[in-house]
Amino acid sequence: MVNLKIEDFGAKNDGIFDNTGAFKAAFDELAKNGGGKITVGKGVWATGPIDMVSDSILELEEGAELSFIADPNIYPPAFTRWEGVECYAMHALLRGSDVKNVKITGKGTFNGNGKFWWDLKKEKKSKGQSKPEESYEIALAKMNPGYENQPGGGGGREIQFLRPCLIEFINCENVTIEGVKVIDSPFWTIHPLYVKGLLLKDLHVENPYEAPNTDGIDVDSCTDIQILNCFVSVGDDGICLKSGSGPDGIRVNKPTDGVVIRGCSVKNAHGGIVIGSETAAGIRHVLAEDCNLSGTDRGIRIKSRRGRGGDIFDIELKNLTMDGNLCPIAMNMYYKCGITDTKSPLFSLEKQEVTAETPRIHDVKISGIKATNCKASAGFIVGLPEMPIDNLEIKDCYFSTDESSTESPMDSDMFYGLPEVTVKSFRVRNAPGAKFENVTIEGPKEAFIYE
């Protein structure tokens, strides 16, 4: 084990010099010596992609910033899962693949310089780009045959502008990220994929609310996960659990299993603590407690739809505080993102055939929720007619709605196909076994709407 300083490899902290080669040389040295630590001191260290190695520690001292160069051409194709489908996408800004015993720590900052990427995505959309055009898009398209028919969530798969995550670990064991600040990601911010044994602790994850597809933490087909005392404020979902989408996720068949989320705060996000919508291999044995989800669009959010598959069960959510959300609890099996056909059978109100691609939600316990000033509704629980939500228990909870808000109950979550409602009540559809015990709802004329 050796202790190295990045400046010993010719690195410069002027925010201009490209330190990509210095980081590669430093991690190569660690690999030769069986592991060790690289320390990054104060200053702004510009760099391209970084790959960590086994038994390594990357420490950012207070005042240190890794500033990732915004250029799609320097992040080569790398195997990953992008919006639920295995494929090649741009190499994450910082990546670890097939490594063990790695740690990122310190009080410094990882800066993804995301504005370049967000503006470029918006530019491509505004000009109506519908297929790969740039060399980096064409290269990915050649490596991803059949991409045109793969599911997505609106991130840009159809043009193969597959932006990089900021931090990604794939096929790894025993990964720790603690203490650091992670900001302005091009795409998803922290993406552990096929990781066994993950600790995320005392992190500050922040992207602008308007930044597209900038989820905070996306735990993807991982096992044995702890997310503790983290702050997240982002432009999509906050702390999210996933396990692949549709046939590809079913083929891979790696569930997310064994997750503890405790003491976290999610400020701005489409959802605070989220399951889905990529649910194909299942998500199970999840405990989330003692978190503040105030200001998020939906505090608790479980979302999937026909075609995505997966068994979601043994979920316990307790002692969560929310204020000013659109909807505090949304369980939505008619999730629309990534689909443009509003009349698709995916959103039919009639029973459809149950297949391997039919998602299921059951055995969910929610307790000790205090949600005030809910703008759109007190709650939204909608299962499928052929696969109702089963064994749902909600107890010892308080909800109040902001009846002066102009937000529509139809904005409780993102869906197609459901009939309109006009009151901010707790909506329950296709969840016949739902049990409500000691639940107070103040504000709407009707506490519940059962459909």
Side-chain angles (χ1 to χ4, degrees):
M1 299 287 287
V2 295
N3 293 317
L4 308 174
K5 293 184 177 181
I6 192 62
E7 56 262 41
D8 295 338
F9 295 84
K12 298 179 182 179
N13 63 351
D14 59 4
I16 299 172
F17 182 79
D18 184 348
N19 292 294
T20 308
F23 278 102
K24 184 179 187 308
F27 278 105
D28 285 348
E29 186 68 19
L30 290 191
K32 291 178 185 177
N33 288 276
K37 181 169 75 171
I38 297 171
T39 300
V40 180
K42 291 181 179 180
V44 179
W45 310 81
T47 183
I50 295 174
D51 287 278
M52 294 191 71
V53 300
S54 289
D55 301 299
S56 66
I57 300 171
L58 177 61
E59 180 178 8
L60 271 60
E61 293 182 343
E62 188 170 3
E65 178 182 304
L66 287 192
S67 178
F68 288 92
I69 298 167
D71 180 356
N73 296 290
I74 67 172
Y75 299 95
F79 183 75
T80 184
R81 175 188 268 170
W82 203 88
E83 287 195 329
V85 176
E86 287 192 337
C87 64
Y88 287 86
M90 294 183 194
H91 187 295
L93 308 187
L94 186 147
R95 188 173 192 260
S97 176
D98 300 288
V99 298
K100 297 180 179 181
N101 307 321
V102 294
K103 185 175 185 178
I104 296 171
T105 188
K107 296 183 178 180
T109 300
F110 292 85
N111 186 345
N113 289 304
K115 188 176 187 304
F116 165 86
W117 301 90
W118 313 326
D119 288 350
L120 186 55
K121 180 185 186 298
K122 292 173 185 174
E123 178 185 327
K124 291 173 180 293
K125 183 177 181 178
S126 65
K127 74 175 185 179
Q129 183 178 337
S130 60
K131 62 182 182 179
E133 294 180 359
E134 300 293 337
S135 58
Y136 48 83
E137 296 166 343
I138 294 169
L140 288 173
K142 290 179 179 178
M143 301 179 76
N144 296 326
Y147 71 87
E148 301 94 335
N149 299 314
Q150 292 173 343
R157 187 186 302 278
E158 70 281 359
I159 64 173
Q160 291 291 280
F161 181 50
L162 306 187
R163 290 166 284 153
C165 297
L166 208 165
I167 297 175
E168 180 176 73
F169 287 95
I170 176 172
N171 294 320
C172 298
E173 292 185 25
N174 192 20
V175 175
T176 297
I177 309 175
E178 67 175 2
V180 295
K181 188 174 185 179
V182 190
I183 64 172
D184 292 352
S185 179
F187 184 62
W188 293 354
T189 307
I190 298 174
H191 183 216
L193 172 64
Y194 311 148
V195 171
K196 181 179 180 180
L198 173 71
L199 174 62
L200 304 177
K201 184 178 180 183
D202 300 327
L203 300 179
H204 182 111
V205 180
E206 188 167 2
N207 305 307
Y209 180 75
E210 65 275 9
N213 314 110
T214 54
D215 294 22
I217 296 169
D218 282 313
V219 175
D220 200 346
S221 291
C222 298
T223 59
D224 188 16
I225 310 302
Q226 295 185 78
I227 304 173
L228 309 176
N229 304 320
C230 294
F231 172 85
V232 179
S233 181
V234 294
D236 208 310
D237 286 326
I239 299 172
C240 193
L241 310 180
K242 302 176 179 288
S243 66
S245 182
D248 192 70
I250 293 170
R251 173 189 63 82
V252 174
N253 193 29
K254 292 182 179 180
T256 285
D257 188 347
V259 181
V260 174
I261 303 168
R262 181 180 292 123
C264 294
S265 177
V266 185
K267 184 180 179 182
N268 290 318
H270 292 181
I273 294 173
V274 182
I275 294 174
S277 65
E278 297 90 341
T279 55
I283 297 165
R284 60 205 189 199
H285 310 317
V286 177
L287 170 64
E289 62 181 352
D290 303 327
C291 297
N292 191 316
L293 311 176
S294 297
T296 61
D297 291 350
R298 297 108 199 150
I300 298 166
R301 191 183 199 194
I302 301 176
K303 53 179 177 170
S304 192
R305 65 168 175 255
R306 296 174 176 118
R308 299 233 149 177
D311 192 5
I312 301 166
F313 68 96
D314 189 20
I315 311 297
E316 185 172 6
L317 309 163
K318 64 181 185 179
N319 302 334
L320 307 176
T321 301
M322 310 173 207
D323 182 66
N325 310 77
L326 285 176
C327 179
I329 299 174
M331 300 174 65
N332 175 16
M333 299 292 262
Y334 283 76
Y335 183 65
K336 73 179 185 180
C337 288
I339 300 289
T340 56
D341 180 8
T342 63
K343 304 298 184 182
S344 167
L346 294 174
F347 309 110
S348 172
L349 297 179
E350 303 298 323
K351 286 185 178 181
Q352 305 294 301
E353 180 185 0
V354 175
T355 71
E357 296 178 21
T358 305
R360 183 186 180 199
I361 300 172
H362 60 104
D363 295 286
V364 178
K365 294 182 179 180
I366 300 173
S367 64
I369 306 300
K370 183 178 181 181
T372 52
N373 299 307
C374 304
K375 297 176 183 178
S377 71
F380 177 92
I381 294 174
V382 178
L384 296 171
E386 69 272 18
M387 189 64 74
I389 296 171
D390 187 39
N391 199 18
L392 167 65
E393 179 182 292
I394 300 179
K395 68 177 184 178
D396 301 329
C397 294
Y398 172 86
F399 305 93
S400 71
T401 57
D402 178 1
E403 293 298 309
S404 68
S405 170
T406 58
E407 297 286 354
S408 167
M410 298 297 284
D411 292 328
S412 295
D413 204 1
M414 301 172 180
F415 56 82
Y416 288 139
L418 299 177
E420 185 173 0
V421 296
T422 58
V423 290
K424 300 181 187 292
S425 309
F426 201 120
R427 184 177 191 176
V428 182
R429 184 185 185 97
N430 297 323
K435 298 177 183 178
F436 294 86
E437 179 182 334
N438 191 29
V439 173
T440 300
I441 300 175
E442 293 186 352
K445 294 179 181 179
E446 299 176 69
F448 293 91
I449 299 177
Y450 288 98
E451 304 174 37

